[in-house]
Amino acid sequence: MKNFRMYLATTAISISLMPLWNVAMAEGDQRLTGIDVSHHNNVSDWSEIKSADISFVILKATDGMDYLDPTFTDRFKALKTAGLIRGAYHFYETNDSPLVQANWFIKNAPLKAGDLPPIVDIERVKAPATKNLHSDFKTFLKQLEGHYGVKPIIYTGTKFWNHVMKEHLADYPLWIAEYGTDSPTIPDGWQNWTMWQYTDARAIPNVDGDTDGSHFNGGADALSEILLVDG
């Protein structure tokens, strides 16, 4: 996500299954690739993105208690029409109400069967700092889990997480961001990653500007097992 690149610069619907994010998954050629985009990226045609070997597309949906990405609603529908696996993420603001944030995301992100679980991006502490950071964030996660029937995916960076969150919440699936390495560094508490944002410079046909590229730690069967289902 765009804010994570700023952080790097300053620091250097339900399913029942074993938690795949904490066990070893597929290696190398079994990893699927996807992208995430926001209003910063202009997209001229979603239908040709599959030809770039893209297995899923994640959109920024909401931020804080009242921001909705102006491109989200139309793009979320367009991805369904194009037959692409889609996801939506919320940028979590530590100084805002966790329940208001969760309900704002729920209101605007109508995830359905075949979509990725809800995703939350936490990568900075915004003043004023709160002593209830860990419990507030868990409140947010539980609100989403209660609505969508599945644990949300947490997007973060290792340095941020180890410094601020430590070993909390490692029973949630992890989307780790780390560039310029053959393998990401796992934050304290987790054993493995579900997704890895490995670049912020992935060129995609019909998308203006570079996108963030991510691997899913498994093949098509593993990916299908984490998608939302009717229930």
Side-chain angles (χ1 to χ4, degrees):
M1 289 72 170
K2 302 300 178 183
N3 288 312
F4 182 72
R5 289 195 282 282
M6 296 172 62
Y7 175 79
L8 285 178
T10 59
T11 59
I13 52 210
S14 61
I15 53 177
S16 297
L17 47 105
M18 183 181 298
L20 296 172
W21 44 90
N22 255 345
V23 298
M25 297 177 74
E27 296 293 334
D29 59 357
Q30 290 299 308
R31 293 175 183 170
L32 303 178
T33 299
I35 58 172
D36 63 89
V37 298
S38 69
H39 65 277
H40 295 286
N41 305 102
N42 292 320
V43 181
S44 57
D45 187 355
W46 291 108
S47 64
E48 296 186 19
I49 289 181
K50 282 186 176 180
S51 65
D53 198 25
I54 297 301
S55 298
F56 55 91
V57 177
I58 299 169
L59 304 175
K60 180 172 183 177
T62 52
D63 185 326
M65 298 189 292
D66 58 7
Y67 178 80
L68 173 66
D69 187 294
T71 65
F72 174 74
T73 301
D74 289 342
R75 288 179 174 180
F76 194 67
K77 295 175 182 176
L79 286 173
K80 187 71 170 180
T81 301
L84 284 158
I85 293 174
R86 59 188 184 172
Y89 76 88
H90 174 82
F91 190 90
Y92 185 82
E93 300 287 4
T94 59
N95 61 330
D96 287 341
S97 163
L99 281 177
V100 174
Q101 290 190 77
N103 290 332
W104 178 244
F105 178 83
I106 289 168
K107 177 181 178 180
N108 290 286
L111 301 174
K112 305 294 184 184
D115 294 335
L116 288 166
I119 300 165
V120 55
D121 175 344
I122 180 169
E123 58 188 69
R124 71 182 183 193
V125 174
K126 195 171 182 180
T130 172
K131 295 180 180 179
N132 301 320
L133 173 61
H134 297 154
S135 60
D136 282 353
F137 189 53
K138 190 168 185 178
T139 295
F140 173 89
L141 294 170
K142 289 296 185 181
Q143 187 76 352
L144 263 60
E145 187 174 348
H147 179 79
Y148 295 106
V150 62
K151 286 182 180 293
I153 297 171
I154 297 174
Y155 169 98
T156 195
T158 297
K159 290 182 180 179
F160 169 84
W161 192 269
N162 288 349
H163 178 67
V164 176
M165 303 299 291
K166 305 189 186 302
E167 296 188 3
H168 293 266
L169 304 170
D171 56 333
Y172 284 80
L174 169 67
W175 183 7
I176 187 66
E178 187 175 7
Y179 313 145
T181 181
D182 292 332
S183 181
T185 305
I186 306 299
D188 294 343
W190 274 289
Q191 300 300 313
N192 213 330
W193 50 273
T194 297
M195 295 195 296
W196 165 28
Q197 189 182 89
Y198 66 93
T199 183
D200 61 352
R202 177 72 191 264
I204 301 294
N206 300 305
V207 179
D208 294 340
D210 290 334
T211 67
D212 299 324
S214 292
H215 292 308
F216 172 75
N217 200 0
D221 290 342
L223 179 61
S224 68
E225 288 182 339
I226 75 165
L227 301 180
L228 299 180
V229 299
D230 291 324

